[in-house]
Amino acid sequence: MTYEQLKDLEKQLWDAADDLRANSKLTAAEYKDPLLGLVLLRFAQNRYEEAKIYIENKLSVNPRTGKKREATKEDFLGAGAIRLPEKAQYDYLANLPSDVNIAEKVNEAMKLVEAEYPDLAGILPKNYQEMDEALLRSLVRTFNSDAVKKASGDVFGRIYEFFLMKFSMQGAGAQEGGEFFTPPSLVNLIVNFIQPDHGVIHDPACGSGGMFVQSAHFIQDHENRNVNEAITVYGTEYKSNNTKLAKMNLAIHGIEGRIINENSYYSDPHHLVGKCDFVMANPPFNMDKIDAKNKFLAEDKRLPFGPPLTGKGTISNGNYLWIQYFHSYLNENGRAGFVMASSATDAGHAEKRIREQLVETGDIDCIVAVGNNFFYTRSLPCHLWFFDKGKKKENKDKILMIDARNVYRKVSSTVNDFSPDQMEGLTAIIQMYQGEKPELSEDNQWFKEHFPEGNYEDIEGLCKIVDLEEVRAQDYSLTPGRYVGVCVKIDHDFDYRGRISEINNELAQLNDEANGLMNQIQSVEL
């Protein structure tokens, strides 16, 4: 299936499913989990059919009977599939007679899948009785078209991610809209910058697992290796519903991993301090009401520079807890990339003390400023931070600053992202800084415009390599705008003279109206 065909299929399925919801009494939040459960069930059927053919060709023949042995559950798991009992097969559900209670049958199918696949135990939705029966039947049929039946490979993984994105854009789950799904542009840039292609990958605020999924895509695109042979993934997520989404997401993509439902502030369930090759995350920003007196936090090995305590002994902001976690998890050559509130690069008091110590380690590799509207339910800007404990010697006392606030493509009036050229171009900047040859399309106009010689150079308003002396002189600020300067672009096609004349005329008219009102007020006798 080509990229264009996949995009068409995603849109067709979403439009059909969303139209069904719009004509029901369900909110997007109520609809999200049962819909994603059906996507997984449809995927399981397709993967089962593919595996059945593969296994049949591999089964040995019994020399005494001349027949092949029966395929086992282990055979299917080895082929990356779930052995589906008849009543858990999607075809069975799609062909149920109209007088059969379809909700009961779908609930039963989910239980059967969980029984065959222990990693999903207690995860799949089993509340289909809450949906209107006609709606459920229509929804089941939506995912039973010929185009869907023939979908193979990672098509369903892409569809699952697309649906997560669309639900996030609708704010499904109220305030959780920005938490369970990190926009693809930000995840892709993090993955491109740190290249997580081997070893242990950890996300202690994993949401729906998007960092793991994009890492798998990166490996599939760049390495000739099985994803589960290349990486081992560990996630921690505080919200139980997000944990379920993450486990389903990994199952959909065939990624083996351990996701634990815990609060990372007060627990470290995977015990990965100093063991991670890569850390990626989009943690909650500016969290307060963290219990500074919690015994675990007081003894936490992930806080070598101490908790960011206020003068009253409280923690009013959790940003520098997360930042220390990410740094502490890395092994001696580990790399981290994470999303962080813009305020963290200049935060004062205890946060500044911690930031000074982090800068002096030499492990901060790059900071990228990102503009507004990259999140679907929040308009705030952010920064992407990158650590590298295995920096090349020549970069050990340097930090790459990128101000990408003016680098974006408008998707809609409220949503921005990076275009493919911009994504490639930003990635090329760090590749050149690290002494690598950038991977670029020949027709990347964004890169050619900014780097006409094809080599790295400091660009005013965009990027600059700074040394630690300069950071110290800036009182340890890590805000890229302080270093790269401002690039003023003049639009030569815009009629500035004409617009100024219009503004002067408007101002004169407003002044006349104001004077008229003042005269009326002053003429009133009290």
Side-chain angles (χ1 to χ4, degrees):
M1 182 174 288
T2 66
Y3 177 82
E4 290 75 18
Q5 289 171 330
L6 174 59
K7 289 290 135 189
D8 285 344
L9 181 59
E10 287 174 345
K11 187 176 185 305
Q12 288 171 19
L13 293 176
W14 173 260
D15 287 349
D18 199 41
D19 282 347
L20 289 171
R21 183 196 67 79
N23 292 313
S24 74
K25 297 179 180 179
L26 298 176
T27 65
E30 293 168 330
Y31 194 56
K32 178 174 97 275
D33 293 342
L35 175 61
L36 294 173
L38 287 178
V39 173
L40 186 141
L41 205 58
R42 177 70 262 184
F43 157 82
Q45 172 86 48
N46 285 37
R47 185 65 69 90
Y48 168 77
E49 298 295 343
E50 287 179 19
K52 204 161 56 167
I53 296 170
Y54 172 80
I55 293 167
E56 181 65 25
N57 292 331
K58 294 285 185 179
L59 287 176
S60 58
V61 177
N62 187 318
R64 286 191 299 109
T65 63
K67 296 180 179 180
K68 293 184 176 181
R69 67 172 176 81
E70 291 289 324
T72 65
K73 176 180 178 179
E74 287 68 32
D75 290 325
F76 280 93
L77 289 175
I82 301 168
R83 184 183 65 178
L84 290 173
E86 180 189 357
K87 292 185 178 180
Q89 294 178 20
Y90 204 90
D91 288 344
Y92 169 80
L93 297 173
N95 294 318
L96 284 171
S98 58
D99 60 342
V100 174
N101 187 318
I102 191 169
E104 288 183 2
K105 295 299 182 181
V106 176
N107 287 339
E108 182 183 351
M110 295 295 176
K111 293 174 185 176
L112 290 169
V113 170
E114 288 185 348
E116 290 290 323
Y117 198 76
D119 283 357
L120 291 175
I123 298 302
L124 300 184
K126 294 177 282 291
N127 60 337
Y128 288 91
Q129 72 281 357
E130 296 176 9
M131 297 181 73
D132 175 79
E133 185 169 343
L135 169 63
L136 181 55
R137 285 188 186 277
S138 297
L139 200 54
V140 169
R141 285 195 292 270
T142 295
F143 293 101
N144 204 46
S145 66
D146 287 340
V148 175
K149 286 181 177 181
K150 294 174 183 176
S152 60
D154 192 39
V155 168
F156 276 94
R158 303 281 183 174
I159 290 170
Y160 186 91
E161 291 171 73
F162 180 76
F163 278 26
L164 281 175
M165 178 181 72
K166 297 297 283 187
F167 278 122
S168 182
M169 294 175 80
Q170 291 183 345
Q175 77 276 11
E176 294 180 352
E179 295 175 14
F180 72 72
F181 187 80
T182 305
S185 273
L186 301 185
V187 180
N188 290 351
L189 199 67
I190 288 172
V191 168
N192 288 354
F193 272 39
I194 68 174
Q195 302 181 4
D197 59 358
H198 68 276
V200 173
I201 301 179
H202 185 32
D203 183 346
C206 70
S208 59
M211 299 288 182
F212 301 137
V213 170
Q214 191 55 41
S215 298
H217 292 328
F218 181 85
I219 292 167
Q220 290 162 348
D221 292 342
H222 293 81
E223 306 282 332
N224 187 24
R225 281 189 296 167
N226 177 284
V227 169
N228 293 318
E229 291 175 355
I231 60 174
T232 305
V233 306
Y234 297 89
T236 309
E237 171 55 37
Y238 177 52
K239 295 186 175 177
S240 58
N241 190 57
N242 294 348
T243 304
K244 293 178 181 179
L245 291 175
K247 290 187 175 184
M248 288 171 64
N249 208 358
L250 294 193
I252 281 270
H253 287 87
I255 302 171
E256 296 174 7
R258 191 169 180 226
I259 310 292
I260 294 180
N261 183 203
E262 289 279 0
N263 186 337
S264 286
Y265 293 127
Y266 311 125
S267 66
D268 182 23
H270 299 292
H271 307 291
L272 291 173
V273 172
K275 299 177 181 178
C276 296
D277 296 280
F278 302 95
V279 173
M280 296 179 285
N282 174 23
F285 295 171
N286 304 319
M287 290 294 288
D288 59 2
K289 298 181 181 178
I290 298 167
D291 183 7
K293 297 179 181 178
N294 185 283
K295 186 171 185 280
F296 181 88
L297 191 144
E299 300 171 355
D300 196 342
K301 295 179 181 177
R302 301 172 301 170
L303 301 175
F305 308 126
L309 297 174
T310 66
K312 297 180 180 179
T314 61
I315 296 176
S316 61
N317 191 310
N319 292 341
Y320 275 83
L321 293 175
W322 289 110
I323 292 170
Q324 287 190 80
Y325 297 162
F326 304 145
H327 185 261
S328 298
Y329 281 129
L330 298 176
N331 61 28
E332 59 185 11
N333 292 306
R335 298 196 289 269
F338 53 93
V339 189
M340 184 48 61
S342 293
S343 58
T345 55
D346 272 318
H349 306 294
E351 286 99 333
K352 181 189 173 188
R353 172 185 57 78
I354 295 169
R355 187 171 63 254
E356 288 176 4
Q357 295 177 81
L358 277 167
V359 168
E360 295 299 338
T361 66
D363 297 333
I364 299 177
D365 196 35
C366 177
I367 305 289
V368 181
V370 178
N372 291 319
N373 296 331
F374 272 73
F375 292 95
Y376 299 133
T377 56
R378 298 175 288 178
S379 63
L380 76 169
C382 66
H383 284 89
L384 305 183
W385 291 48
F386 296 93
F387 294 152
D388 185 354
K389 287 192 175 181
K391 267 188 188 181
K392 291 182 178 179
K393 187 177 179 181
E394 58 268 28
N395 286 345
K396 191 63 179 176
D397 293 326
K398 297 176 181 177
I399 300 174
L400 172 63
M401 297 288 182
I402 300 176
D403 190 345
R405 288 176 297 173
N406 294 316
V407 181
Y408 61 87
R409 172 180 67 177
K410 288 201 77 65
V411 178
S412 69
S413 60
T414 58
V415 176
N416 296 335
D417 71 0
F418 296 126
S419 72
D421 273 9
Q422 291 166 345
M423 181 71 70
E424 265 191 2
L426 291 171
T427 303
I429 294 174
I430 196 167
Q431 289 172 334
M432 293 186 294
Y433 155 71
Q434 293 171 341
E436 301 171 2
K437 184 178 179 181
E439 299 176 13
L440 288 159
S441 306
E442 289 185 11
D443 59 348
N444 190 317
Q445 296 304 313
W446 187 90
F447 180 81
K448 290 178 180 177
E449 177 188 339
H450 291 87
F451 301 93
E453 301 300 319
N455 302 312
Y456 177 84
E457 56 183 295
D458 292 342
I459 304 292
E460 187 174 21
L462 177 62
C463 61
K464 185 179 180 181
I465 297 172
V466 302
D467 57 36
L468 298 194
E469 256 331 298
E470 193 170 351
V471 177
R472 294 181 190 113
Q474 289 285 349
D475 206 21
Y476 290 92
S477 168
L478 291 176
T479 300
R482 283 203 180 200
Y483 301 93
V484 306
V486 178
C487 179
V488 179
K489 291 187 177 181
I490 298 175
D491 184 352
H492 295 285
D493 295 326
F494 186 78
D495 183 7
Y496 290 97
R497 190 183 299 275
R499 182 58 185 141
I500 290 295
S501 177
E502 289 174 3
I503 292 172
N504 282 330
N505 290 335
E506 290 172 12
L507 182 60
Q509 184 178 348
L510 290 171
N511 282 334
D512 289 343
E513 291 176 4
N515 289 333
L517 288 171
M518 181 61 71
N519 290 334
Q520 290 180 35
I521 293 169
Q522 290 177 343
S523 66
V524 174
E525 295 183 6
L526 299 177

